[in-house]
Amino acid sequence: MSIAVMNSEQSSGQNSVPNYSRDEIMTVTAARQLQNSAVCFVGIGLPSAACNLARQTHAPELVLIYESGTVGTKPSVLPLSIGDGELAETADCVIPLPDIFSYYLQGGRVDIGFLGAAQIDRFGNLNSTVIGDYLRPSTRLPGAGGAPEIAMHAKQVLIVMKQSPRSFVESLGFRTSCGFMNGNGQRRHGEFADASAGAGPQVVITDYGMLKPDPVSDELTLVAVYPGVTAAEVSAATGWSLRIAPTLTVLPEPTAAELSALRSLHARTEQAHANPVRIVLPKTA
Amino acid sequence: MSLQQAIAQYLHDGQSVAMEGFTHLIPFAAGHEIIRQQKKNLHLIRMTPDLIYDQLIGMGCASELTFSWGGNPGVGSLHRLRDAVEKQWPQPLTLHEHSHAEMAVAYQAGASGMPCGFMKGYPATQLAEVNPAQIQPQQCPFTGQWLSAIAAIKPDVTILHAQQADADGNVLIRGIVGAAREAALAAKTVIVTVEQQVEKIDADMNAIVLPRWLIAAIAVVPGGAYPSYAQGHYPRDNAFYLAWDEIARDREKFLSWMQSHVLALRDHAELLQRLQVAA
């Protein structure tokens, strides 16, 4: 992909249509969902990139919490892991891990949970555990981490995932984290209403566009696409028969300022992760 | 006490051992010593197994694993863990799987002398279906609300790495602490490696300090968390985590790396020296 050279005046994507990749418009679109001063519990990978882009562009007051116990962290590069030293050094406070899950997450103090996964189904349930049989899996994935409780207790959940028939599936190999379970309000009633303070996934952002749950059936419905993307393409990248809204919104392209912020974030990150570590050994007694 | 002595004296084949430290302060030196002493049939416990458990599993030290996220953070899979689960190499590995929040509750219960702990959210995830021995629904006696009961984790041995120990043996842990404190208090025996021994530890009043009488053995092992990190001493070697993906992908390459970087070396100091020379 070629990278267009832009000057800083060109902040509107209207006049200068910058070249950008699908990954970039996906990350920018995800970042735009985050409002300034929201308290956001961040997963690693795409969610972390989107959250830090938001903080460096339109949402400087965004409060980022990572499951390592770093609250209000402000990293200048993307952490490779959720526990990198820079997250601790730039945090408002660093607390023990049981506190973050009990007092902050289960206690209902998180506005937005931002997740990715290996698989998603039509009701926004997520799999990050296994593909195939649990005891003899064809692919053993890393597992749950913080996701099940983020999915339950954050007031709302945003999901960002690349879309393909292998990731957007008719039936999950394992339900690691719940979206709307079997849909039709199951999450809002009975034992679920007891267990969860959260409203579940409100937006799924992919490399084709955006899906939102139907207010009655809870089924994920394609509501918006990136410029040049057709509904047929998105259906072909979905492993179930995808519901499509009667009118599709075309999402705005990234601005030059957003692209430049995102690219410099990635460049700084790459450089930082390649730094060799020198250990200065302390003198031992 | 030397780390060799501590592992030889306090960790035995077939025991359960929790080596905590959440991304930060991972006790790599202690893990390598366990591999050198060829301990067998350990029940490994750790929220995020990380590279050190990949190495212990691949070297055939473990038969069980209690965990909540088993990946190479930010990089991808733990290939030795996957090989053990998917292809039973070098031996089968029984999984006891949780979420992070569940393990935090389980350690807290263990540290509190409780048989189990409680949390919200029973119906949400299928983890209870695959781990019924440790996750069960339970109704609140006061409100009738359905909760998850999580069985306590009480490791035979917990091993931590920390920044400082004072002359009396009190230990200071600072930075990202994960569930290190809970894992220590839940264990029957605690072994700690530290970056340095000091006259008086540099602790604020509410800092996380493990008092000396909780700890069975302390070994001074500078760089003992490398390639993870010790806040205030050295950063995480992210390049090593990226490089491990390639090393661990192949059984032969893995075994040869372990031979030359762990088995053939006397201790962690030699490993650090070797990697610095190679760099």
Side-chain angles (χ1 to χ4, degrees):
Chain A
M1 195 206 77
S2 66
I3 295 173
V5 179
M6 279 158 289
N7 65 51
S8 56
E9 251 96 331
Q10 291 173 307
S11 58
S12 160
Q14 284 289 351
N15 302 326
S16 62
V17 180
N19 285 323
Y20 56 85
S21 70
R22 282 282 182 87
D23 277 9
E24 287 175 329
I25 192 170
M26 171 171 65
T27 307
V28 165
T29 303
R32 285 173 178 165
Q33 309 306 307
L34 297 163
Q35 294 184 338
N36 207 8
S37 83
V39 177
C40 184
F41 204 113
V42 191
I44 207 68
L46 289 170
S48 179
C51 288
N52 282 291
L53 177 63
R55 205 175 49 73
Q56 286 172 22
T57 52
H58 68 277
E61 302 297 316
L62 189 64
V63 178
L64 301 186
I65 298 181
Y66 287 74
E67 65 196 14
S68 53
T70 49
V71 177
T73 184
K74 299 168 263 310
S76 64
V77 303
L78 296 175
L80 186 66
S81 80
I82 35 73
D84 280 18
E86 199 188 358
L87 292 175
E89 284 155 16
T90 63
D92 293 336
C93 61
V94 180
I95 60 178
L97 189 138
D99 293 8
I100 204 93
F101 282 102
S102 319
Y103 305 146
Y104 283 79
L105 188 56
Q106 189 172 272
R109 292 181 172 82
V110 171
D111 298 321
I112 297 172
F114 208 145
L115 296 173
Q119 289 185 329
I120 186 170
D121 70 13
R122 69 174 74 214
F123 294 115
N125 302 299
L126 300 174
N127 175 19
S128 52
T129 303
V130 290
I131 311 284
D133 178 65
Y134 180 78
L135 290 174
R136 289 292 164 96
S138 58
T139 305
R140 175 64 230 196
L141 301 164
E149 287 74 22
I150 296 172
M152 282 296 271
H153 303 312
K155 287 174 194 152
Q156 50 176 300
V157 174
L158 307 184
I159 296 167
V160 58
M161 274 175 72
K162 288 195 188 186
Q163 194 162 359
S164 80
R166 288 178 60 206
S167 58
F168 282 59
V169 296
E170 181 69 52
S171 140
L172 298 180
F174 189 92
R175 187 180 70 255
T176 312
S177 313
C178 76
F180 297 102
M181 297 294 284
N182 297 314
N184 292 305
Q186 191 180 359
R187 183 168 175 142
R188 296 183 284 277
H189 300 110
E191 54 184 349
F192 269 83
D194 266 359
S196 166
Q202 302 302 298
V203 182
V204 180
I205 293 134
T206 81
D207 46 348
Y208 291 85
M210 187 186 285
L211 295 79
K212 290 189 173 181
D214 180 86
V216 177
S217 72
D218 298 324
E219 183 172 342
L220 293 175
T221 306
L222 182 69
V223 295
V225 290
Y226 302 133
V229 173
T230 66
E233 271 179 81
V234 191
S235 289
T238 310
W240 68 83
S241 166
L242 179 67
R243 279 182 53 143
I244 293 165
T247 323
L248 283 182
T249 306
V250 176
L251 292 159
E253 298 188 308
T255 66
E258 286 167 326
L259 276 181
S260 146
L262 178 60
R263 285 169 188 170
S264 81
L265 183 62
H266 280 307
R268 284 199 304 277
T269 299
E270 204 166 308
Q271 195 172 19
H273 292 174
N275 280 344
V277 172
R278 294 273 172 216
I279 300 184
V280 179
L281 296 177
K283 289 182 215 82
T284 49
Chain B
M1 184 180 274
S2 77
L3 179 57
Q4 286 92 328
Q5 286 173 305
I7 298 297
Q9 185 171 338
Y10 291 107
L11 181 64
H12 308 295
D13 290 356
Q15 283 191 320
S16 61
V17 55
M19 304 171 71
E20 276 297 343
F22 199 83
T23 309
H24 177 218
L25 294 174
I26 298 176
F28 269 90
H32 286 169
E33 186 53 36
I34 293 170
I35 292 168
R36 269 191 291 270
Q37 295 189 18
Q38 300 183 18
K39 303 286 184 189
K40 295 285 175 216
N41 292 317
L42 296 174
H43 175 173
L44 298 177
I45 304 169
R46 186 177 155 75
M47 298 180 79
T48 55
D50 205 83
L51 272 49
I52 190 61
Y53 274 26
D54 211 30
Q55 296 175 355
L56 283 155
I57 292 165
M59 294 304 284
C61 298
S63 55
E64 293 180 57
L65 174 67
T66 294
F67 77 113
S68 45
W69 193 86
N72 181 345
V75 179
S77 293
L78 291 177
H79 297 290
R80 295 298 98 225
L81 167 59
R82 277 187 62 175
D83 206 11
V85 175
E86 294 170 10
K87 307 221 166 72
Q88 295 76 52
W89 190 92
Q91 65 184 71
L93 184 70
T94 304
L95 298 183
H96 310 283
E97 187 161 3
H98 283 293
S99 68
H100 284 345
E102 287 172 5
M103 273 193 82
V105 166
Y107 275 134
Q108 285 180 306
S112 313
M114 290 281 287
C116 68
F118 295 97
M119 55 189 288
K120 290 168 80 173
Y122 167 70
T125 160
Q126 283 184 291
L127 286 168
E129 294 171 23
V130 296
N131 192 3
Q134 275 143 349
I135 311 169
Q136 284 288 327
Q138 185 67 41
Q139 231 171 341
C140 168
F142 306 107
T143 63
Q145 183 176 341
W146 281 102
L147 303 169
S148 284
I150 313 295
I153 293 178
K154 298 177 182 179
D156 291 320
V157 180
T158 285
I159 303 177
L160 302 176
H161 186 72
Q163 278 95 346
Q164 294 182 342
D166 67 18
D168 294 329
N170 301 296
V171 165
L172 171 71
I173 305 175
R174 68 150 53 103
I176 289 173
V177 295
R181 180 186 53 176
E182 289 73 17
L185 287 161
K188 297 184 189 81
T189 301
V190 179
I191 300 172
V192 183
T193 55
V194 293
E195 286 297 321
Q196 58 181 165
Q197 191 178 347
V198 294
E199 259 322 287
K200 188 173 169 12
I201 51 180
D202 175 24
D204 292 333
M205 221 174 260
N206 301 106
I208 295 191
V209 173
L210 300 176
R212 59 189 159 74
W213 45 271
L214 288 179
I215 301 167
I218 298 178
V220 180
V221 184
Y226 175 89
S228 83
Y229 71 106
Q231 194 88 45
H233 292 267
Y234 46 91
R236 191 169 186 267
D237 191 352
N238 282 325
F240 185 88
Y241 276 81
L242 292 163
W244 181 253
D245 187 67
E246 194 58 35
I247 297 165
R249 209 174 267 274
D250 178 77
R251 288 175 187 171
E252 292 310 314
K253 200 178 278 185
F254 163 77
L255 288 172
S256 126
W257 192 93
M258 293 304 295
Q259 178 60 40
S260 56
H261 290 81
V262 179
L263 295 178
L265 305 181
R266 194 162 41 87
D267 59 17
H268 200 65
E270 274 193 16
L271 171 66
L272 294 181
Q273 206 146 32
R274 189 191 163 104
L275 289 174
Q276 280 180 322
V277 170

